[in-house]
Amino acid sequence: MKDTLFLDRDGVINVQLIGDYVKRTDELVLRDDFISSIPLLINNFKRFIIVTNQQCIAKGLCTKTDVDKVHRHLESLLLPYGMKFDAIYVCPHIAGGGCDCRKPEIGMARQAQSDFPDIDFSRSVMIGDSLTDMQFGRRAGLQTVFIGKVTDENREEIAGVSDIIIDSITHYANNL
């Protein structure tokens, strides 16, 4: 069994709103491929943690309370599938703000290790859909799994920090 599965939220667990942020519970739509992967993920990981950049808070588009409500709603949607997150870490800061918690920085990984001292990063995985997710995972010493389309513009960068590149979390889960 692997240790901890770190997951980006938007684009991995739920449908990403292009040009917008999930600010309310009615905007949260779970990805079908994530739902179908849950049984295999549960059988192969002992812990589940979300690490998500949410600069919509710093931009004043929503509050930390709004994001917390979205996460409580997310957890309620996943309970019937038997999935529970051990922790959800949120960076509320704006890109370029210089904080140490915004991916690709590893402040959220450090917080997870502080909260769960038995985490073994060498036996843990980061699944995300962006270059910053992969850089975060690599810097923290996690196996990195890129979910999504690789373009000519980002191919070299993504390949440089991703251990696995696939189009769906289902493909990853089926090969555990």
Side-chain angles (χ1 to χ4, degrees), residues 88-138:
I88 299 174
Y89 299 106
V90 175
C91 174
H93 306 110
I94 197 154
C99 71
D100 70 345
C101 62
R102 185 173 176 79
K103 295 178 289 180
E105 301 304 322
I106 62 168
M108 290 188 279
R110 286 190 189 115
Q111 184 62 52
Q113 196 162 50
S114 175
D115 293 343
F116 304 96
D118 64 322
I119 287 179
D120 181 350
F121 285 160
S122 70
R123 293 182 43 246
S124 298
V125 177
M126 172 66 198
I127 297 180
D129 65 340
S130 71
L131 177 62
T132 57
D133 293 331
M134 297 301 95
Q135 291 167 328
F136 164 87
R138 182 59 53 97

Side-chain angles (χ1 to χ4, degrees), residues 3 10 15 37 40 44-46 57 63 71 82 90 92 94 100 105 112 129 137 141 155 167:
D3 193 298
D10 301 328
V15 175
S37 301
L40 292 168
N44 285 280
F45 288 90
K46 73 177 189 179
I57 298 169
T63 65
H71 289 151
V90 175
I94 197 154
D100 70 345
E105 301 304 322
D129 65 340
R155 182 176 315 282
D167 62 355

